[in-house]
Amino acid sequence: MEGDFIKLNRWLQPLSWLYGLAVNCRNLLFSMGILKSRSFDVPVISVGNITVGGSGKTPHVEYLIRLLKDNFRTAVLSRGYKRKSKGFVQASSETAMPQIGDEPFQMKQKFPDVTVAVDKDRCHGIDTLVENDKDIDVILLDDAFQHRYVKPGINILLVDYHRLIIYDRLLPVGRLREPLSGKDRADIVIVTKCPKELKPMGYRVITKAMNLFPYQQLFFTSIEYGALYPLFDKSKECLALKNLKDHHAVLLTGIASPRQMTHDLEPLIPQLTPLTFSDHHNFTAKDVEMINSTFAALPSPKLIITTEKDATRLNMAAGLSEEVRSALYVLPIIVCFLQDQATVFNQQIIDYVHKNSRNSILVKRKDEHKSQDCHHSGDRPRTISFRNY
């Protein structure tokens, strides 16, 4: 089996070289200024990766939303992967999931006061958001690290602990969407899905291996889980994971990398049955039949656990049995920073948005203009003031 894999890699290696050549040429065109990257007056924070598959983008964008939304008018712009619409779409409370995609829909449901929009052309999306709402203070770009037509103020690169990019290879041999040198564009690198018991030596090994530049900051995050809440039967109470040791559970996922979640839940629910589908999977009638039969075969007490992203699609799946609907619970995922790094990260993000929001820039320019007028008239210049957040 291992020999077959090595042979397959040898056959794919020429394709990997060609792919790398094409990506390097594209990056060179941006570096030479032939292809243009645009900066914007509004603060833009990009969150993304350089690998195929999940690295925790949505939970990290949601972390930023929680950090910023109470003090800054926050907008999220996503591509809207696998949506049924085209062009720019701004979500409202009535927008259906297929119109914007599962992840933007999830964020709009969780944060109804935050502006959520989708547009494959991120520059056009930013322009439209700003045109529609002059008071937007910051735009979060979801999965836009490789969308180089936008030059964000802060570029955040996510790296999955279980698939470190330093040990990976270019597509189609490996999972890298561009050469490892692409990480050099990041202002912040976050190693995600780390085990909470990661030893100091582990931090040092990864830090050295990542080989970042002095201008780049490295952070480590892990996953925490909230209480399970019912998807369909809202009359039921939330469940704490620590109280489910005697239960049989189906872990139903359609995400890119369920490995960490399975690893985390197995000690809490020893009788766990994973039922895994591909990322962004749309559940068919055959899938629903499998879900129903798998759950029916389990002894009681039992339940089904799924992710928030999967819940947006399961909510539309026809044919789920009443037994399944009654026992289907959603598991919230929350990002937590390790090594007490949250304070440093939070302050860097808040300072950037505060100093670069359009309102602050306008106030600064206005006060600078007043300062020049005062200087010409012989008066003492006034201090620059910002909005009081």
Side-chain angles (χ1 to χ4, degrees):
M1 201 70 172
E2 183 179 349
D4 291 341
F5 180 75
I6 293 173
K7 288 179 182 178
L8 179 63
N9 272 351
R10 286 175 179 170
W11 280 106
L12 292 176
Q13 189 61 57
L15 296 177
S16 185
W17 290 333
L18 291 173
Y19 176 82
L21 179 63
V23 175
N24 278 327
C25 288
R26 178 179 184 268
N27 285 335
L28 181 62
L29 292 175
F30 277 104
S31 299
M32 296 174 63
I34 297 173
L35 294 178
K36 304 292 184 182
S37 298
R38 281 185 59 192
S39 298
F40 295 85
D41 288 339
V42 64
V44 175
I45 301 174
S46 171
V47 179
N49 60 18
I50 59 172
T51 56
V52 174
S55 55
K57 292 184 295 294
T58 300
H60 283 78
V61 172
E62 290 183 352
Y63 181 96
L64 291 170
I65 292 173
R66 292 188 185 95
L67 175 65
L68 297 169
K69 68 181 180 64
D70 290 339
N71 292 317
F72 302 97
R73 191 168 181 84
T74 305
V76 179
L77 179 63
S78 175
R79 174 187 174 187
Y81 184 64
K82 283 194 173 183
R83 62 186 170 116
K84 302 300 182 183
S85 61
K86 294 183 179 180
F88 177 90
V89 178
Q90 184 166 322
S92 69
S93 57
E94 289 79 30
T95 303
M97 186 277 288
Q99 296 302 111
I100 55 175
D102 52 11
E103 291 166 340
F105 183 82
Q106 171 187 323
M107 286 185 272
K108 186 60 180 178
Q109 293 293 304
K110 293 177 72 171
F111 308 101
D113 295 333
V114 169
T115 300
V116 176
V118 294
D119 197 334
K120 184 178 180 180
D121 184 340
R122 305 302 175 90
C123 289
H124 176 263
I126 293 173
D127 287 336
T128 307
L129 279 171
V130 172
E131 183 180 343
N132 291 348
D133 187 350
K134 305 296 183 185
D135 293 326
I136 287 178
D137 290 309
V138 56
I139 296 176
L140 306 177
L141 292 185
D142 179 28
D143 195 13
F145 190 82
Q146 291 186 295
H147 192 94
R148 298 200 58 186
Y149 291 99
V150 175
K151 186 175 182 180
I154 294 183
N155 216 358
I156 300 176
L157 173 65
L158 305 183
V159 177
D160 189 336
Y161 171 85
H162 301 285
R163 299 182 316 191
L164 292 174
I165 57 176
I166 49 179
Y167 305 124
D168 210 339
R169 301 172 74 180
L170 278 172
L171 290 168
V173 174
R175 297 182 178 179
L176 290 180
R177 294 190 289 188
E178 64 174 291
L180 187 59
S181 59
K183 69 182 175 64
D184 298 345
R185 300 196 306 273
D187 303 295
I188 293 173
V189 177
I190 302 178
V191 180
T192 68
K193 304 180 185 179
C194 296
K196 292 183 180 179
E197 63 273 13
L198 186 62
K199 304 297 183 185
M201 178 60 72
Y203 290 111
R204 290 195 291 270
V205 168
I206 294 174
T207 299
K208 183 177 181 180
M210 287 298 295
N211 193 29
L212 300 181
F213 286 101
Y215 63 81
Q216 297 176 298
Q217 290 182 280
L218 181 63
F219 295 90
F220 297 84
T221 62
S222 185
I223 292 174
E224 290 184 348
Y225 302 99
L228 290 161
Y229 63 87
L231 177 59
F232 295 109
D233 191 349
K234 304 302 182 182
S235 65
K236 292 195 171 185
E237 295 183 354
C238 296
L239 300 176
L241 286 172
K242 64 180 181 180
N243 297 330
L244 300 177
K245 280 191 176 294
D246 297 329
H247 283 66
H248 293 260
V250 174
L251 177 58
L252 175 58
T253 59
I255 57 178
S257 181
R259 175 179 175 182
Q260 185 64 48
M261 180 177 287
T262 304
H263 175 269
D264 292 340
L265 293 188
E266 282 178 337
L268 299 170
I269 313 174
Q271 300 166 106
L272 189 70
T273 303
L275 192 55
T276 305
F277 296 90
S278 60
D279 196 18
H280 301 278
H281 182 76
N282 289 316
F283 297 100
T284 64
K286 186 176 180 180
D287 298 329
V288 170
E289 183 180 341
M290 182 190 300
I291 294 168
N292 289 340
S293 61
T294 301
F295 185 71
L298 293 181
S300 297
K302 58 184 178 178
L303 74 158
I304 296 184
I305 299 172
T306 194
T307 68
E308 290 180 302
K309 184 168 80 169
D310 293 309
T312 65
R313 284 173 277 112
L314 285 167
N315 207 19
M316 302 176 59
L320 291 172
S321 68
E322 286 304 316
E323 185 184 29
V324 166
R325 290 173 65 88
S326 177
L328 188 48
Y329 285 80
V330 183
L331 182 61
I333 296 175
I334 303 167
V335 165
C336 64
F337 280 81
L338 302 178
Q339 293 189 307
D340 298 320
Q341 292 180 321
T343 301
V344 175
F345 177 84
N346 294 354
Q347 196 60 54
Q348 180 172 348
I349 298 297
I350 291 171
D351 285 348
Y352 162 70
V353 177
H354 192 185
K355 293 175 182 176
N356 294 278
S357 67
R358 287 181 298 162
N359 186 76
S360 295
I361 291 172
L362 289 173
V363 171
K364 180 178 179 180
R365 288 174 180 170
K366 182 178 179 181
D367 285 345
E368 285 175 343
H369 181 69
K370 289 182 179 178
S371 174
Q372 291 174 359
D373 290 343
C374 291
H375 177 73
H376 290 312
S377 62
D379 295 334
R380 177 180 295 179
R382 302 179 185 178
T383 32
I384 297 172
S385 60
F386 293 94
R387 251 163 57 180
N388 182 17
Y389 288 101

